[in-house]
Amino acid sequence: MSSRDRKKASVYRKLQRLRSVVNSTAVNKTSIIVDASRYIEELKERVEVLDQETGTSGISTSQNPLPMQVAVEALEKGFLINVFLEKNCPGLLVSILEIFEELGLDVLDARVSCQENFQLEAIGGENQSNAEGIDAQMVKQAIMQAISKWSENI
């Protein structure tokens, strides 16, 4: 068996393993990979739903004493961002908007409440100068870091 045949057999075995993991009925390589991509997206959505239901995206730690919930959902051209903190946080909105600017996101629509607690629901669209692609997880991490930094300064 030649080196090329071994590589081909190895790729075939790996594709079949991938096919079985994602419960694909596809037979060609491209379809198996497309099914795997869809499966990964479904898993990401499930994780987001579970994070929202259990609030694990906002676990209070000794580094971050503010219980918070941050959810970011990818839209066709941008992101739906939801932030909730149990107490009013003067100045936090400015910190989050600065993160939007750093990430190259334009605020297309937003609702904010800063009465008894802090709530932000915003749609951020990628602006034209943002050549590098960002994903929902990057946006979520940046917002959580901004909240942590803000809470250290109060």
Side-chain angles (χ1 to χ4, degrees):
M1 185 179 245
S2 71
S3 174
R4 183 176 181 185
D5 290 338
R6 282 192 299 275
K7 284 183 182 180
K8 193 173 181 180
S10 174
V11 168
Y12 178 78
R13 282 192 309 275
K14 290 175 183 174
L15 275 170
Q16 293 308 309
R17 196 174 329 146
L18 178 63
R19 181 176 173 230
S20 69
V21 167
V22 300
N23 297 321
S24 174
T25 57
V27 290
N28 68 36
K29 294 176 197 176
T30 304
S31 296
I32 292 170
I33 293 170
V34 167
D35 287 348
S37 294
R38 287 184 186 137
Y39 182 74
I40 291 168
E41 288 302 317
E42 289 173 17
L43 291 176
K44 285 180 179 178
E45 290 174 12
R46 287 184 197 170
V47 167
E48 283 292 328
V49 168
L50 290 172
D51 279 350
Q52 289 175 353
E53 288 176 357
T54 61
T56 57
S57 63
I59 293 176
S60 178
T61 65
S62 58
Q63 289 179 326
N64 183 15
L66 291 174
M68 65 178 159
Q69 292 180 346
V70 177
V72 179
E73 178 184 332
L75 303 174
E76 188 174 319
K77 290 187 177 182
F79 302 94
L80 172 62
I81 297 126
N82 286 290
V83 179
F84 176 82
L85 281 85
E86 290 182 1
K87 68 176 205 168
N88 182 4
C89 303
L92 179 58
L93 180 60
V94 173
S95 297
I96 292 174
L97 292 176
E98 287 171 348
I99 290 299
F100 276 40
E101 189 174 323
E102 287 175 22
L103 293 172
L105 294 176
D106 293 327
V107 178
L108 304 177
D109 187 30
R111 279 182 267 168
V112 181
S113 172
C114 301
Q115 296 260 327
E116 294 177 18
N117 52 37
F118 179 88
Q119 289 182 283
L120 166 69
E121 179 180 70
I123 297 177
E126 295 183 61
N127 64 34
Q128 300 300 330
S129 65
N130 186 14
E132 63 184 78
I134 56 174
D135 64 14
Q137 190 62 30
M138 291 169 63
V139 174
K140 181 176 179 176
Q141 290 299 321
I143 291 171
M144 291 176 71
Q145 287 175 355
I147 293 169
S148 294
K149 285 180 184 176
W150 175 86
S151 66
E152 290 170 5
N153 294 326
I154 57 171

